[in-house]
Amino acid sequence: MLGEQIKAARSLVGWHIKDLAEASGVSVPTVQRMDSAVGPAPGRNEPVMAIRKALESKGIQFLDNGEVAGGPGVAIKRAE
C-alpha cells in the first residue's frame, strides 16, 4: 500500500489523521508518517494492515497497478 493511497482514501471518507488513527488503533505519529510517504507506506506490516482494514470498512477499495475499480473512484498514473 502506498502513502498516496492512504492519503487519498482518508480524504475520500472525510477522515483526518486523528480519525484514521482512532479507527485503526495506530498512533497518530505512525499514521502521519505513512500518510505523508511517497511510495510504499513505511513501517511494520501490522499497522499498515490495520490502516487498510479501517479504510476498507468505510468502503475503500485499494487497487494494484492495472486493476480496475468495481465502482466510481480515482487513480493516479505514475510517471514511467
Side-chain angles (χ1 to χ4, degrees), residues 39-56:
R44 296 177 296 119
N45 190 48
E46 185 177 295
V48 172
M49 294 311 295
I51 287 172
R52 182 181 186 123
K53 185 176 178 181
L55 290 165
E56 287 175 340

PDB file of all heavy atoms in Angstrom, residues 39-56:
ATOM      1  N   GLY A  39       5.419   6.683  -2.173  1.00  0.00           N
ATOM      2  CA  GLY A  39       5.763   5.285  -2.416  1.00  0.00           C
ATOM      3  C   GLY A  39       5.223   4.414  -1.305  1.00  0.00           C
ATOM      4  O   GLY A  39       4.290   4.795  -0.595  1.00  0.00           O
ATOM      5  N   PRO A  40       5.810   3.236  -1.132  1.00  0.00           N
ATOM      6  CA  PRO A  40       5.297   2.296  -0.135  1.00  0.00           C
ATOM      7  C   PRO A  40       5.239   2.898   1.274  1.00  0.00           C
ATOM      8  O   PRO A  40       6.155   3.604   1.694  1.00  0.00           O
ATOM      9  CB  PRO A  40       6.288   1.134  -0.181  1.00  0.00           C
ATOM     10  CG  PRO A  40       6.897   1.223  -1.536  1.00  0.00           C
ATOM     11  CD  PRO A  40       6.939   2.695  -1.867  1.00  0.00           C
ATOM     12  N   ALA A  41       4.145   2.617   1.967  1.00  0.00           N
ATOM     13  CA  ALA A  41       3.994   3.107   3.338  1.00  0.00           C
ATOM     14  C   ALA A  41       5.068   2.472   4.212  1.00  0.00           C
ATOM     15  O   ALA A  41       5.224   1.257   4.213  1.00  0.00           O
ATOM     16  CB  ALA A  41       2.607   2.767   3.865  1.00  0.00           C
ATOM     17  N   PRO A  42       5.827   3.289   4.934  1.00  0.00           N
ATOM     18  CA  PRO A  42       6.899   2.735   5.770  1.00  0.00           C
ATOM     19  C   PRO A  42       6.347   2.096   7.038  1.00  0.00           C
ATOM     20  O   PRO A  42       5.253   2.427   7.479  1.00  0.00           O
ATOM     21  CB  PRO A  42       7.725   3.978   6.117  1.00  0.00           C
ATOM     22  CG  PRO A  42       6.730   5.097   6.104  1.00  0.00           C
ATOM     23  CD  PRO A  42       5.728   4.731   5.036  1.00  0.00           C
ATOM     24  N   GLY A  43       7.094   1.189   7.583  1.00  0.00           N
ATOM     25  CA  GLY A  43       6.716   0.610   8.860  1.00  0.00           C
ATOM     26  C   GLY A  43       6.455  -0.877   8.779  1.00  0.00           C
ATOM     27  O   GLY A  43       6.563  -1.504   7.723  1.00  0.00           O
ATOM     28  N   ARG A  44       6.077  -1.405   9.924  1.00  0.00           N
ATOM     29  CA  ARG A  44       5.781  -2.841  10.025  1.00  0.00           C
ATOM     30  C   ARG A  44       4.465  -3.158   9.332  1.00  0.00           C
ATOM     31  O   ARG A  44       3.616  -2.291   9.143  1.00  0.00           O
ATOM     32  CB  ARG A  44       5.725  -3.248  11.497  1.00  0.00           C
ATOM     33  CG  ARG A  44       7.051  -3.086  12.229  1.00  0.00           C
ATOM     34  CD  ARG A  44       6.966  -3.433  13.709  1.00  0.00           C
ATOM     35  NE  ARG A  44       6.057  -2.507  14.402  1.00  0.00           N
ATOM     36  CZ  ARG A  44       4.948  -2.878  15.039  1.00  0.00           C
ATOM     37  NH1 ARG A  44       4.610  -4.135  15.121  1.00  0.00           N
ATOM     38  NH2 ARG A  44       4.173  -1.992  15.625  1.00  0.00           N
ATOM     39  N   ASN A  45       4.292  -4.406   8.995  1.00  0.00           N
ATOM     40  CA  ASN A  45       3.101  -4.853   8.282  1.00  0.00           C
ATOM     41  C   ASN A  45       1.827  -4.704   9.119  1.00  0.00           C
ATOM     42  O   ASN A  45       0.778  -4.349   8.589  1.00  0.00           O
ATOM     43  CB  ASN A  45       3.284  -6.311   7.841  1.00  0.00           C
ATOM     44  CG  ASN A  45       2.200  -6.755   6.888  1.00  0.00           C
ATOM     45  OD1 ASN A  45       1.894  -6.067   5.926  1.00  0.00           O
ATOM     46  ND2 ASN A  45       1.613  -7.902   7.168  1.00  0.00           N
ATOM     47  N   GLU A  46       1.907  -4.944  10.423  1.00  0.00           N
ATOM     48  CA  GLU A  46       0.716  -4.915  11.277  1.00  0.00           C
ATOM     49  C   GLU A  46      -0.005  -3.563  11.253  1.00  0.00           C
ATOM     50  O   GLU A  46      -1.220  -3.519  11.025  1.00  0.00           O
ATOM     51  CB  GLU A  46       1.094  -5.300  12.709  1.00  0.00           C
ATOM     52  CG  GLU A  46      -0.094  -5.408  13.644  1.00  0.00           C
ATOM     53  CD  GLU A  46       0.344  -5.859  15.032  1.00  0.00           C
ATOM     54  OE1 GLU A  46       0.832  -7.004  15.171  1.00  0.00           O
ATOM     55  OE2 GLU A  46       0.190  -5.044  15.956  1.00  0.00           O
ATOM     56  N   PRO A  47       0.695  -2.426  11.467  1.00  0.00           N
ATOM     57  CA  PRO A  47      -0.015  -1.139  11.403  1.00  0.00           C
ATOM     58  C   PRO A  47      -0.529  -0.812  10.001  1.00  0.00           C
ATOM     59  O   PRO A  47      -1.607  -0.240   9.861  1.00  0.00           O
ATOM     60  CB  PRO A  47       1.030  -0.111  11.845  1.00  0.00           C
ATOM     61  CG  PRO A  47       2.152  -0.870  12.416  1.00  0.00           C
ATOM     62  CD  PRO A  47       2.059  -2.269  11.942  1.00  0.00           C
ATOM     63  N   VAL A  48       0.228  -1.193   8.984  1.00  0.00           N
ATOM     64  CA  VAL A  48      -0.222  -0.945   7.608  1.00  0.00           C
ATOM     65  C   VAL A  48      -1.539  -1.676   7.356  1.00  0.00           C
ATOM     66  O   VAL A  48      -2.496  -1.117   6.814  1.00  0.00           O
ATOM     67  CB  VAL A  48       0.860  -1.367   6.583  1.00  0.00           C
ATOM     68  CG1 VAL A  48       0.320  -1.295   5.163  1.00  0.00           C
ATOM     69  CG2 VAL A  48       2.113  -0.506   6.721  1.00  0.00           C
ATOM     70  N   MET A  49      -1.611  -2.927   7.786  1.00  0.00           N
ATOM     71  CA  MET A  49      -2.822  -3.712   7.577  1.00  0.00           C
ATOM     72  C   MET A  49      -3.983  -3.193   8.429  1.00  0.00           C
ATOM     73  O   MET A  49      -5.134  -3.238   7.994  1.00  0.00           O
ATOM     74  CB  MET A  49      -2.560  -5.193   7.854  1.00  0.00           C
ATOM     75  CG  MET A  49      -1.596  -5.835   6.856  1.00  0.00           C
ATOM     76  SD  MET A  49      -1.998  -5.506   5.113  1.00  0.00           S
ATOM     77  CE  MET A  49      -3.568  -6.346   4.968  1.00  0.00           C
ATOM     78  N   ALA A  50      -3.698  -2.685   9.616  1.00  0.00           N
ATOM     79  CA  ALA A  50      -4.757  -2.112  10.460  1.00  0.00           C
ATOM     80  C   ALA A  50      -5.353  -0.872   9.792  1.00  0.00           C
ATOM     81  O   ALA A  50      -6.575  -0.672   9.814  1.00  0.00           O
ATOM     82  CB  ALA A  50      -4.205  -1.775  11.845  1.00  0.00           C
ATOM     83  N   ILE A  51      -4.500  -0.056   9.207  1.00  0.00           N
ATOM     84  CA  ILE A  51      -4.963   1.135   8.490  1.00  0.00           C
ATOM     85  C   ILE A  51      -5.793   0.722   7.282  1.00  0.00           C
ATOM     86  O   ILE A  51      -6.868   1.259   7.030  1.00  0.00           O
ATOM     87  CB  ILE A  51      -3.768   2.028   8.098  1.00  0.00           C
ATOM     88  CG1 ILE A  51      -3.236   2.724   9.359  1.00  0.00           C
ATOM     89  CG2 ILE A  51      -4.149   3.034   7.022  1.00  0.00           C
ATOM     90  CD1 ILE A  51      -1.942   3.478   9.155  1.00  0.00           C
ATOM     91  N   ARG A  52      -5.296  -0.248   6.550  1.00  0.00           N
ATOM     92  CA  ARG A  52      -6.019  -0.736   5.369  1.00  0.00           C
ATOM     93  C   ARG A  52      -7.408  -1.248   5.769  1.00  0.00           C
ATOM     94  O   ARG A  52      -8.413  -0.912   5.148  1.00  0.00           O
ATOM     95  CB  ARG A  52      -5.218  -1.832   4.682  1.00  0.00           C
ATOM     96  CG  ARG A  52      -5.883  -2.359   3.434  1.00  0.00           C
ATOM     97  CD  ARG A  52      -5.063  -3.460   2.789  1.00  0.00           C
ATOM     98  NE  ARG A  52      -5.668  -3.824   1.532  1.00  0.00           N
ATOM     99  CZ  ARG A  52      -5.068  -3.793   0.363  1.00  0.00           C
ATOM    100  NH1 ARG A  52      -3.796  -3.452   0.272  1.00  0.00           N
ATOM    101  NH2 ARG A  52      -5.702  -4.128  -0.736  1.00  0.00           N
ATOM    102  N   LYS A  53      -7.461  -2.063   6.814  1.00  0.00           N
ATOM    103  CA  LYS A  53      -8.728  -2.638   7.264  1.00  0.00           C
ATOM    104  C   LYS A  53      -9.715  -1.544   7.682  1.00  0.00           C
ATOM    105  O   LYS A  53     -10.905  -1.613   7.364  1.00  0.00           O
ATOM    106  CB  LYS A  53      -8.476  -3.599   8.419  1.00  0.00           C
ATOM    107  CG  LYS A  53      -9.700  -4.335   8.888  1.00  0.00           C
ATOM    108  CD  LYS A  53      -9.358  -5.343   9.975  1.00  0.00           C
ATOM    109  CE  LYS A  53     -10.607  -6.043  10.465  1.00  0.00           C
ATOM    110  NZ  LYS A  53     -10.340  -7.005  11.529  1.00  0.00           N
ATOM    111  N   ALA A  54      -9.226  -0.531   8.403  1.00  0.00           N
ATOM    112  CA  ALA A  54     -10.099   0.569   8.838  1.00  0.00           C
ATOM    113  C   ALA A  54     -10.681   1.313   7.636  1.00  0.00           C
ATOM    114  O   ALA A  54     -11.869   1.635   7.618  1.00  0.00           O
ATOM    115  CB  ALA A  54      -9.317   1.529   9.735  1.00  0.00           C
ATOM    116  N   LEU A  55      -9.857   1.561   6.634  1.00  0.00           N
ATOM    117  CA  LEU A  55     -10.327   2.276   5.447  1.00  0.00           C
ATOM    118  C   LEU A  55     -11.262   1.400   4.606  1.00  0.00           C
ATOM    119  O   LEU A  55     -12.272   1.882   4.089  1.00  0.00           O
ATOM    120  CB  LEU A  55      -9.143   2.779   4.624  1.00  0.00           C
ATOM    121  CG  LEU A  55      -8.370   3.921   5.293  1.00  0.00           C
ATOM    122  CD1 LEU A  55      -7.025   4.131   4.619  1.00  0.00           C
ATOM    123  CD2 LEU A  55      -9.192   5.211   5.274  1.00  0.00           C
ATOM    124  N   GLU A  56     -10.944   0.126   4.495  1.00  0.00           N
ATOM    125  CA  GLU A  56     -11.821  -0.780   3.756  1.00  0.00           C
ATOM    126  C   GLU A  56     -13.189  -0.906   4.429  1.00  0.00           C
ATOM    127  O   GLU A  56     -14.205  -1.070   3.746  1.00  0.00           O
ATOM    128  CB  GLU A  56     -11.164  -2.154   3.603  1.00  0.00           C
ATOM    129  CG  GLU A  56     -10.037  -2.154   2.600  1.00  0.00           C
ATOM    130  CD  GLU A  56      -9.285  -3.468   2.496  1.00  0.00           C
ATOM    131  OE1 GLU A  56      -9.354  -4.297   3.432  1.00  0.00           O
ATOM    132  OE2 GLU A  56      -8.605  -3.657   1.469  1.00  0.00           O
TER     133      GLU A  56
END
